[in-house]
């Protein structure tokens, strides 16, 4: 399952695609599901489509319905966390994510291994090297998407930029 770096990049992608002014909020929303580690239910309810929708509804409520694009961006950012964990490697049972909560409490795992599992045991001999390499791989996979979206957004905002500068 990806590191906070990979999750933040997923949130940035959602933010850049829908609400560029709120890229940081979307990055935080994409990392937020892992707060469930604090109460011992990692990969459970917070790692679901239901929680993503609730996050979007919270934004809608907080903004009194005026920021629908932001609410959608936060929903997709949160959802990117669920997707990335589903596509990642998992070493701690229960394996997978409770992706369809509240409709199902089953755990789903894609066996895709696109992202490496992140070790949480600092005492492991290869904790730092493994986690650093996992974060670098996430940057290599997701960084170009973030860069491309940022460039496209910048070009739209400033049409005077020549196409060759991409």
């Amino acid at each position: 399952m990806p590191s906070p770096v990979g999750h933040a990049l997923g949130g940035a992608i959602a933010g850049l695609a829908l609400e560029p002014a709120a890229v940081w909020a979307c990055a935080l929303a994409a990392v937020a599901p892992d707060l469930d580690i604090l109460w011992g239910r990692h990969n459970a309810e917070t790692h679901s489509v239901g929680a993503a929708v609730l996050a979007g509804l919270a934004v809608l409520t907080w903004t009194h319905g005026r920021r629908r694009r932001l609410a959608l961006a936060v929903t997709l950012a949160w959802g990117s966390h669920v997707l990335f964990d589903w596509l990642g490697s998992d070493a701690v049972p229960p394996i997978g994510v409770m992706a369809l909560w509240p409709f199902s409490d089953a755990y789903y795992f894609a066996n895709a291994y696109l992202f490496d599992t992140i070790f949480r045991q600092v005492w492991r001999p290869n904790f730092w090297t493994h986690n650093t390499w996992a974060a670098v791989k996430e940057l290599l996979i997701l960084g170009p998407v973030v860069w491309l979206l940022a460039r496209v957004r910048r070009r739209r905002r400033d049409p005077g930029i020549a196409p060759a500068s991409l």
Side-chain angles (χ1 to χ4, degrees), residues 75-106:
T75 300
L76 292 177
W78 195 292
S80 73
H81 188 111
V82 179
L83 175 67
F84 290 178
D85 277 5
W86 178 69
L87 291 171
S89 182
D90 194 356
V92 180
I95 303 298
V97 291
M98 198 184 285
L100 299 179
W101 177 87
F103 307 107
S104 170
D105 59 355

CSV table of all heavy atoms in Angstrom, one decimal, residues 75-106:
chain,number,residue,atom,x,y,z
A,75,THR,N,-13.9,14.1,-2.8
A,75,THR,CA,-14.4,12.8,-2.9
A,75,THR,C,-13.4,11.9,-3.8
A,75,THR,O,-13.1,10.8,-3.4
A,75,THR,CB,-15.8,12.8,-3.5
A,75,THR,OG1,-16.7,13.5,-2.7
A,75,THR,CG2,-16.3,11.4,-3.7
A,76,LEU,N,-13.0,12.5,-4.9
A,76,LEU,CA,-12.1,11.7,-5.8
A,76,LEU,C,-10.7,11.5,-5.2
A,76,LEU,O,-10.1,10.5,-5.3
A,76,LEU,CB,-12.0,12.4,-7.2
A,76,LEU,CG,-13.3,12.3,-8.0
A,76,LEU,CD1,-13.1,13.1,-9.3
A,76,LEU,CD2,-13.8,10.9,-8.2
A,77,ALA,N,-10.3,12.6,-4.5
A,77,ALA,CA,-9.0,12.5,-3.8
A,77,ALA,C,-9.0,11.4,-2.7
A,77,ALA,O,-8.1,10.5,-2.7
A,77,ALA,CB,-8.6,13.8,-3.2
A,78,TRP,N,-10.0,11.4,-1.9
A,78,TRP,CA,-10.2,10.3,-0.9
A,78,TRP,C,-10.3,8.9,-1.6
A,78,TRP,O,-9.7,8.0,-1.2
A,78,TRP,CB,-11.5,10.6,-0.1
A,78,TRP,CG,-11.5,9.8,1.2
A,78,TRP,CD1,-11.7,8.4,1.3
A,78,TRP,CD2,-11.5,10.3,2.5
A,78,TRP,NE1,-11.8,8.1,2.6
A,78,TRP,CE2,-11.6,9.2,3.4
A,78,TRP,CE3,-11.3,11.6,3.1
A,78,TRP,CZ2,-11.6,9.4,4.8
A,78,TRP,CZ3,-11.3,11.7,4.4
A,78,TRP,CH2,-11.5,10.6,5.3
A,79,GLY,N,-11.1,8.9,-2.7
A,79,GLY,CA,-11.3,7.7,-3.4
A,79,GLY,C,-10.0,7.2,-4.0
A,79,GLY,O,-9.8,6.0,-4.2
A,80,SER,N,-9.0,8.1,-4.4
A,80,SER,CA,-7.8,7.7,-4.9
A,80,SER,C,-7.0,6.8,-3.9
A,80,SER,O,-6.3,5.9,-4.3
A,80,SER,CB,-6.9,8.9,-5.4
A,80,SER,OG,-6.4,9.6,-4.3
A,81,HIS,N,-7.2,7.2,-2.6
A,81,HIS,CA,-6.5,6.4,-1.6
A,81,HIS,C,-7.0,5.0,-1.6
A,81,HIS,O,-6.2,4.0,-1.5
A,81,HIS,CB,-6.8,7.1,-0.2
A,81,HIS,CG,-6.0,6.4,0.9
A,81,HIS,ND1,-5.0,7.1,1.5
A,81,HIS,CD2,-6.0,5.2,1.5
A,81,HIS,CE1,-4.5,6.3,2.5
A,81,HIS,NE2,-5.1,5.2,2.5
A,82,VAL,N,-8.3,4.8,-1.7
A,82,VAL,CA,-8.9,3.5,-1.7
A,82,VAL,C,-8.4,2.7,-3.0
A,82,VAL,O,-8.0,1.6,-2.9
A,82,VAL,CB,-10.5,3.6,-1.8
A,82,VAL,CG1,-11.1,2.2,-1.8
A,82,VAL,CG2,-11.0,4.4,-0.6
A,83,LEU,N,-8.4,3.4,-4.1
A,83,LEU,CA,-7.9,2.7,-5.4
A,83,LEU,C,-6.4,2.3,-5.2
A,83,LEU,O,-6.1,1.2,-5.6
A,83,LEU,CB,-8.1,3.7,-6.5
A,83,LEU,CG,-7.5,3.2,-7.9
A,83,LEU,CD1,-8.3,2.0,-8.4
A,83,LEU,CD2,-7.6,4.4,-8.9
A,84,PHE,N,-5.6,3.2,-4.8
A,84,PHE,CA,-4.2,2.9,-4.7
A,84,PHE,C,-3.9,1.8,-3.7
A,84,PHE,O,-3.0,1.0,-4.0
A,84,PHE,CB,-3.4,4.2,-4.3
A,84,PHE,CG,-3.3,5.2,-5.3
A,84,PHE,CD1,-2.7,6.4,-5.1
A,84,PHE,CD2,-3.9,5.1,-6.6
A,84,PHE,CE1,-2.6,7.4,-6.1
A,84,PHE,CE2,-3.8,6.1,-7.6
A,84,PHE,CZ,-3.1,7.2,-7.3
A,85,ASP,N,-4.6,1.8,-2.6
A,85,ASP,CA,-4.4,0.7,-1.6
A,85,ASP,C,-4.9,-0.6,-2.2
A,85,ASP,O,-4.3,-1.7,-2.0
A,85,ASP,CB,-5.1,1.0,-0.3
A,85,ASP,CG,-4.3,1.9,0.6
A,85,ASP,OD1,-3.2,2.3,0.2
A,85,ASP,OD2,-4.7,2.1,1.8
A,86,TRP,N,-5.9,-0.6,-3.0
A,86,TRP,CA,-6.5,-1.8,-3.6
A,86,TRP,C,-5.4,-2.3,-4.6
A,86,TRP,O,-5.3,-3.5,-4.8
A,86,TRP,CB,-7.8,-1.4,-4.3
A,86,TRP,CG,-8.4,-2.6,-5.1
A,86,TRP,CD1,-9.0,-3.7,-4.5
A,86,TRP,CD2,-8.6,-2.7,-6.5
A,86,TRP,NE1,-9.4,-4.5,-5.5
A,86,TRP,CE2,-9.2,-3.9,-6.7
A,86,TRP,CE3,-8.2,-1.8,-7.5
A,86,TRP,CZ2,-9.5,-4.3,-8.0
A,86,TRP,CZ3,-8.6,-2.2,-8.8
A,86,TRP,CH2,-9.2,-3.5,-9.1
A,87,LEU,N,-4.7,-1.4,-5.3
A,87,LEU,CA,-3.8,-1.8,-6.3
A,87,LEU,C,-2.4,-2.1,-5.7
A,87,LEU,O,-1.5,-2.6,-6.5
A,87,LEU,CB,-3.6,-0.7,-7.4
A,87,LEU,CG,-4.8,-0.4,-8.3
A,87,LEU,CD1,-4.6,0.9,-9.1
A,87,LEU,CD2,-5.0,-1.6,-9.2
A,88,GLY,N,-2.2,-1.8,-4.5
A,88,GLY,CA,-0.9,-2.0,-3.9
A,88,GLY,C,-0.7,-3.3,-3.2
A,88,GLY,O,-1.5,-4.2,-3.3
A,89,SER,N,0.5,-3.4,-2.7
A,89,SER,CA,0.9,-4.6,-2.0
A,89,SER,C,0.5,-4.5,-0.5
A,89,SER,O,0.5,-3.4,0.0
A,89,SER,CB,2.4,-4.8,-2.1
A,89,SER,OG,2.8,-6.0,-1.4
A,90,ASP,N,0.1,-5.6,0.1
A,90,ASP,CA,-0.4,-5.5,1.5
A,90,ASP,C,0.2,-6.7,2.3
A,90,ASP,O,0.2,-7.8,1.8
A,90,ASP,CB,-1.9,-5.6,1.6
A,90,ASP,CG,-2.5,-5.2,2.9
A,90,ASP,OD1,-1.7,-4.9,3.8
A,90,ASP,OD2,-3.7,-5.2,3.0
A,91,ALA,N,0.8,-6.4,3.4
A,91,ALA,CA,1.5,-7.4,4.2
A,91,ALA,C,0.9,-7.6,5.6
A,91,ALA,O,1.3,-8.5,6.3
A,91,ALA,CB,3.0,-7.0,4.3
A,92,VAL,N,-0.1,-6.8,5.9
A,92,VAL,CA,-0.7,-6.9,7.3
A,92,VAL,C,-2.2,-7.3,7.2
A,92,VAL,O,-3.0,-6.5,6.6
A,92,VAL,CB,-0.6,-5.5,8.0
A,92,VAL,CG1,-1.2,-5.6,9.4
A,92,VAL,CG2,0.9,-5.1,8.1
A,93,PRO,N,-2.6,-8.4,7.8
A,93,PRO,CA,-4.0,-8.8,7.7
A,93,PRO,C,-4.9,-7.8,8.5
A,93,PRO,O,-4.4,-7.2,9.4
A,93,PRO,CB,-4.0,-10.2,8.4
A,93,PRO,CG,-2.6,-10.6,8.3
A,93,PRO,CD,-1.7,-9.4,8.3
A,94,PRO,N,-6.1,-7.6,8.1
A,94,PRO,CA,-6.7,-8.2,6.9
A,94,PRO,C,-6.2,-7.6,5.6
A,94,PRO,O,-6.0,-6.4,5.5
A,94,PRO,CB,-8.2,-7.9,7.1
A,94,PRO,CG,-8.2,-6.7,7.9
A,94,PRO,CD,-7.0,-6.7,8.8
A,95,ILE,N,-6.0,-8.5,4.6
A,95,ILE,CA,-5.4,-8.0,3.4
A,95,ILE,C,-6.5,-7.3,2.5
A,95,ILE,O,-7.6,-7.8,2.4
A,95,ILE,CB,-4.8,-9.3,2.6
A,95,ILE,CG1,-3.8,-10.0,3.4
A,95,ILE,CG2,-4.3,-8.8,1.2
A,95,ILE,CD1,-2.6,-9.2,3.8
A,96,GLY,N,-6.1,-6.2,2.0
A,96,GLY,CA,-7.0,-5.4,1.1
A,96,GLY,C,-7.6,-4.3,1.9
A,96,GLY,O,-7.2,-3.8,3.0
A,97,VAL,N,-8.7,-3.7,1.2
A,97,VAL,CA,-9.4,-2.6,1.8
A,97,VAL,C,-10.9,-2.9,1.8
A,97,VAL,O,-11.4,-3.7,1.0
A,97,VAL,CB,-9.2,-1.3,1.0
A,97,VAL,CG1,-7.8,-0.8,1.1
A,97,VAL,CG2,-9.5,-1.5,-0.5
A,98,MET,N,-11.6,-2.3,2.7
A,98,MET,CA,-13.1,-2.5,2.9
A,98,MET,C,-13.7,-1.5,1.9
A,98,MET,O,-14.5,-0.6,2.3
A,98,MET,CB,-13.5,-2.2,4.3
A,98,MET,CG,-14.9,-2.7,4.7
A,98,MET,SD,-15.4,-2.3,6.3
A,98,MET,CE,-14.4,-3.4,7.3
A,99,ALA,N,-13.4,-1.6,0.6
A,99,ALA,CA,-13.8,-0.7,-0.4
A,99,ALA,C,-15.3,-0.4,-0.6
A,99,ALA,O,-15.6,0.8,-0.9
A,99,ALA,CB,-13.2,-1.1,-1.8
A,100,LEU,N,-16.1,-1.3,-0.3
A,100,LEU,CA,-17.6,-1.1,-0.6
A,100,LEU,C,-18.4,-0.8,0.7
A,100,LEU,O,-19.6,-0.9,0.6
A,100,LEU,CB,-18.1,-2.3,-1.4
A,100,LEU,CG,-17.5,-2.6,-2.7
A,100,LEU,CD1,-18.1,-3.8,-3.4
A,100,LEU,CD2,-17.6,-1.3,-3.6
A,101,TRP,N,-17.7,-0.5,1.8
A,101,TRP,CA,-18.5,-0.1,2.9
A,101,TRP,C,-19.3,1.2,2.6
A,101,TRP,O,-18.8,2.0,1.9
A,101,TRP,CB,-17.5,0.2,4.1
A,101,TRP,CG,-18.1,0.7,5.3
A,101,TRP,CD1,-18.6,-0.1,6.3
A,101,TRP,CD2,-18.4,2.0,5.7
A,101,TRP,NE1,-19.2,0.7,7.3
A,101,TRP,CE2,-19.1,2.0,6.9
A,101,TRP,CE3,-18.1,3.3,5.1
A,101,TRP,CZ2,-19.5,3.1,7.6
A,101,TRP,CZ3,-18.5,4.4,5.8
A,101,TRP,CH2,-19.2,4.3,7.0
A,102,PRO,N,-20.5,1.3,3.0
A,102,PRO,CA,-21.2,0.6,4.0
A,102,PRO,C,-22.1,-0.6,3.5
A,102,PRO,O,-22.8,-1.2,4.2
A,102,PRO,CB,-22.1,1.7,4.6
A,102,PRO,CG,-22.4,2.5,3.5
A,102,PRO,CD,-21.2,2.5,2.6
A,103,PHE,N,-21.9,-0.9,2.2
A,103,PHE,CA,-22.7,-1.9,1.6
A,103,PHE,C,-22.1,-3.3,1.8
A,103,PHE,O,-22.9,-4.3,1.8
A,103,PHE,CB,-22.8,-1.7,0.1
A,103,PHE,CG,-23.3,-0.3,-0.3
A,103,PHE,CD1,-22.4,0.7,-0.7
A,103,PHE,CD2,-24.6,0.1,0.0
A,103,PHE,CE1,-22.9,2.0,-1.0
A,103,PHE,CE2,-25.1,1.3,-0.3
A,103,PHE,CZ,-24.2,2.3,-0.8
A,104,SER,N,-20.9,-3.4,2.1
A,104,SER,CA,-20.2,-4.6,2.4
A,104,SER,C,-19.0,-4.4,3.3
A,104,SER,O,-18.4,-3.4,3.3
A,104,SER,CB,-19.7,-5.3,1.1
A,104,SER,OG,-18.9,-6.4,1.3
A,105,ASP,N,-18.8,-5.4,4.2
A,105,ASP,CA,-17.7,-5.3,5.1
A,105,ASP,C,-16.5,-6.2,4.7
A,105,ASP,O,-15.6,-6.5,5.4
A,105,ASP,CB,-18.0,-5.5,6.6
A,105,ASP,CG,-18.6,-6.9,6.8
A,105,ASP,OD1,-18.9,-7.6,5.9
A,105,ASP,OD2,-18.9,-7.2,8.0
A,106,ALA,N,-16.6,-6.7,3.4
A,106,ALA,CA,-15.6,-7.6,2.8
A,106,ALA,C,-14.4,-6.7,2.5
A,106,ALA,O,-14.5,-5.5,2.2
A,106,ALA,CB,-16.1,-8.3,1.6
